[in-house]
Amino acid sequence: MGAIIYLLILALLKDYGHGEPQEGIAVYVFLGLLTSGATQQCLDIDECNTDGVCGKRGICQNLIGSYWCECPAGFTNFGKNQNKCVELNCDQYETQPGQTLPGFDSFLSLLRNNCLVLNNSTLSGPTRPLPTGDVLLTLLVNTTDVLQLDLQSNGHRSSSEVTKLLKTIEISIRLIAPLLTENVTRIETNHTDVEILVRRDKTPPKGPVSLTNENTQLDTTWETVIGDYQNYQGFAFVVLLSYKNLDSLKDTTSRQNLQLMSSALTVSVSNSNTTNLPQLINLTFNHLQSSDVDPTCVYWSDENGPGVWSELGCTSVMSNSNQTVCSCSHLSTFALLKGIHQKKGTGQLSLVMWGGVFVALTCVVLSLITTLWCRFVSRKRRGGNRLKQDVQLHRK
Ligand SMILES: *[C@@H]1O[C@H](CO)[C@@H](O)[C@H](O)[C@H]1NC(C)=O
Ligand SMILES: *[C@@H]1O[C@H](CO)[C@@H](O)[C@H](O)[C@H]1NC(C)=O
Ligand SMILES: *[C@@H]1O[C@H](CO)[C@@H](O)[C@H](O)[C@H]1NC(C)=O
Ligand SMILES: *[C@@H]1O[C@H](CO)[C@@H](O)[C@H](O)[C@H]1NC(C)=O
Ligand SMILES: *[C@@H]1O[C@H](CO)[C@@H](O)[C@H](O)[C@H]1NC(C)=O
Ligand SMILES: *[C@@H]1O[C@H](CO)[C@@H](O)[C@H](O)[C@H]1NC(C)=O
Ligand SMILES: *[C@@H]1O[C@H](CO)[C@@H](O)[C@H](O)[C@H]1NC(C)=O
Ligand SMILES: *[C@@H]1O[C@H](CO)[C@@H](O)[C@H](O)[C@H]1NC(C)=O
């Protein structure tokens, strides 16, 4: 009833004013009616009195029974009016000269344009149509497909290009996920499988969360996904993206015989501080082929140099011939590698191996002793002769 009256007053004022609804006046008139005529009084809770309800820079506008956040330019709440305003960085979607990954230039410039729309669209609420996350996600998947096809036909790419690819995917997801409208979005193609879970609860969700696809399972908690509750922006997302054909994603710099035993996958969450998680995440990989080789859990590391598979912060907690479970203390792109560790041997085999090592070492030591002894003896003789010659020379 009250809402109808309010809307009527709003409509009336809109007719008399210059097109712009004068909400402030409507509110006063409405409140006046309420306090004078109504038998019951409803108290509007001013949500804007709660600290940081719109983020550090957002401006909170109180409405009857509601509120919305006005984000200054350079900030956005992705069109969700009651979410906190977060800072945008559209410059990270700038294409770089000399970039050679196919399809990436056009994809990045599209992201940048969408980012710029968000950057500007905030002062008076979402006036312009917002970019849709689903369309952008489809394009992201298409781009990674094209890239994997290219890798299959042209052999592998340099480590720095792989790093560039993974970085781009990470920053794309951070823009796309908040724009998705569904709770669960999944796209699967011949090369890529991506699933995104979004929650928009008022209070941060808690408890376990897992995502599964054909080749992998991710187990974590909403606490890990969100990180610091102070930074909760009104939504949380978790992404599992697996690349089915990145077998040639090798680091070209170091060890020989590195082969992926699983598909590679990127894990991304709304929390952006994920280099040292307080709680481990678990990844269950299905092996591409059943194998007795001990796989190594690795992630793509670009901290020191162009990029390598690194074991730091990831351990294998369970492994059989079909599956391996990795526990990791950070987020990134993960895979199983074979070729770092020795083959699993039976007890007897390793006994034989150690026997061989012992015999070989004994031989080395013996030959060393013999060589040294021979040198010692021969030097003593020659040294003695030389001394005599010297003495003879001096006498002359
Ligand atoms: C986003 O908006 C802010 C504030 O108007 C502006 O300073 C910044 O340059 C914009 N970003 C880009 C990439 O245009
Ligand atoms: C964003 O707004 C600024 C002024 O606030 C304007 O100069 C600029 O052209 C706008 N950018 C876009 C992409 O609309
Ligand atoms: C990606 O999109 C382009 C243009 O929309 C299309 O021609 C191409 O076939 C797509 N590639 C894949 C692998 O889906
Ligand atoms: C996916 O793979 C199947 C079987 O290999 C093939 O028939 C189909 O054309 C592929 N689809 C695309 C979009 O490449
Ligand atoms: C999405 O999740 C929220 C809880 O976070 C739930 O209330 C809502 O019904 C879900 N929507 C759909 C379409 O499943
Ligand atoms: C991951 O696995 C370890 C040991 O297997 C377990 O203690 C931990 O609770 C698991 N974490 C999650 C998020 O499921
Ligand atoms: C990142 O997370 C770690 C561990 O949870 C915490 O100690 C650190 O202060 C956080 N860093 C920032 C910049 O929030
Ligand atoms: C591995 O998979 C094969 C075939 O699916 C199955 O027969 C075997 O029991 C599995 N091994 C283990 C250790 O689960």
Side-chain angles (χ1 to χ4, degrees), residues 255 297-301 308-312 314:
R255 313 175 200 94
C297 301
V298 289
Y299 79 101
W300 188 260
S301 157
V308 290
W309 288 114
S310 161
E311 297 171 64
L312 275 181
C314 273

Coordinates of all heavy atoms in Angstrom, one line a residue, residues 255 297-301 308-312 314:
R255 N 64.4 -29.0 -17.6 CA 64.5 -30.4 -17.7 C 63.9 -31.1 -18.9 O 62.9 -30.6 -19.5 CB 63.8 -31.0 -16.4 CG 64.1 -30.3 -15.2 CD 63.3 -30.8 -14.0 NE 63.2 -29.9 -12.9 CZ 62.2 -29.1 -12.7 NH1 61.3 -29.0 -13.6 NH2 62.2 -28.3 -11.7
C297 N 52.9 -32.9 -8.4 CA 52.0 -31.8 -8.4 C 52.8 -30.5 -8.7 O 53.7 -30.2 -8.0 CB 51.3 -31.6 -7.1 SG 50.3 -33.1 -6.6
V298 N 52.4 -29.7 -9.7 CA 53.1 -28.5 -10.0 C 52.2 -27.4 -10.3 O 51.0 -27.6 -10.6 CB 54.1 -28.7 -11.3 CG1 55.2 -29.6 -10.9 CG2 53.3 -29.3 -12.4
Y299 N 52.7 -26.2 -10.3 CA 52.0 -25.0 -10.8 C 52.9 -24.2 -11.7 O 54.1 -24.3 -11.6 CB 51.5 -24.2 -9.6 CG 52.5 -23.3 -8.9 CD1 52.5 -21.9 -9.2 CD2 53.5 -23.8 -8.1 CE1 53.5 -21.1 -8.6 CE2 54.4 -23.0 -7.5 CZ 54.4 -21.6 -7.8 OH 55.4 -20.8 -7.2
W300 N 52.3 -23.3 -12.5 CA 53.0 -22.5 -13.4 C 53.5 -21.3 -12.6 O 52.7 -20.5 -12.2 CB 52.2 -22.1 -14.6 CG 53.0 -21.4 -15.6 CD1 53.1 -20.1 -15.8 CD2 53.9 -22.0 -16.6 NE1 54.0 -19.8 -16.8 CE2 54.5 -21.0 -17.3 CE3 54.2 -23.3 -16.9 CZ2 55.4 -21.2 -18.4 CZ3 55.1 -23.6 -17.9 CH2 55.7 -22.5 -18.6
S301 N 54.8 -21.1 -12.5 CA 55.4 -20.1 -11.7 C 56.1 -19.1 -12.6 O 56.9 -19.5 -13.4 CB 56.4 -20.7 -10.7 OG 57.3 -19.7 -10.3
V308 N 58.1 -21.3 -15.4 CA 58.4 -22.8 -15.3 C 57.4 -23.5 -14.5 O 56.6 -22.9 -13.7 CB 59.8 -23.0 -14.6 CG1 60.9 -22.6 -15.5 CG2 59.9 -22.4 -13.2
W309 N 57.3 -24.8 -14.6 CA 56.5 -25.6 -13.7 C 57.3 -25.7 -12.4 O 58.5 -26.1 -12.4 CB 56.2 -27.0 -14.3 CG 55.3 -27.0 -15.4 CD1 55.5 -27.3 -16.7 CD2 53.9 -26.7 -15.4 NE1 54.4 -27.3 -17.4 CE2 53.4 -26.9 -16.6 CE3 53.0 -26.3 -14.3 CZ2 52.0 -26.7 -17.0 CZ3 51.7 -26.1 -14.6 CH2 51.2 -26.3 -15.9
S310 N 56.6 -25.4 -11.3 CA 57.3 -25.5 -10.0 C 56.6 -26.3 -9.0 O 55.3 -26.4 -9.1 CB 57.5 -24.1 -9.5 OG 57.8 -24.1 -8.1
E311 N 57.3 -27.0 -8.1 CA 56.6 -27.8 -7.1 C 56.3 -27.1 -5.8 O 55.6 -27.6 -5.0 CB 57.6 -29.0 -6.8 CG 57.9 -29.9 -7.9 CD 59.0 -30.9 -7.5 OE1 58.8 -31.7 -6.6 OE2 60.1 -30.8 -8.0
L312 N 56.8 -25.8 -5.7 CA 56.7 -25.1 -4.4 C 55.2 -25.0 -4.0 O 54.4 -24.6 -4.8 CB 57.3 -23.7 -4.6 CG 58.8 -23.6 -4.4 CD1 59.2 -22.1 -4.5 CD2 59.1 -24.1 -3.0
C314 N 53.0 -27.1 -3.4 CA 52.0 -28.1 -3.8 C 52.6 -29.5 -3.4 O 53.7 -29.8 -3.7 CB 51.8 -28.1 -5.3 SG 50.5 -27.0 -5.8

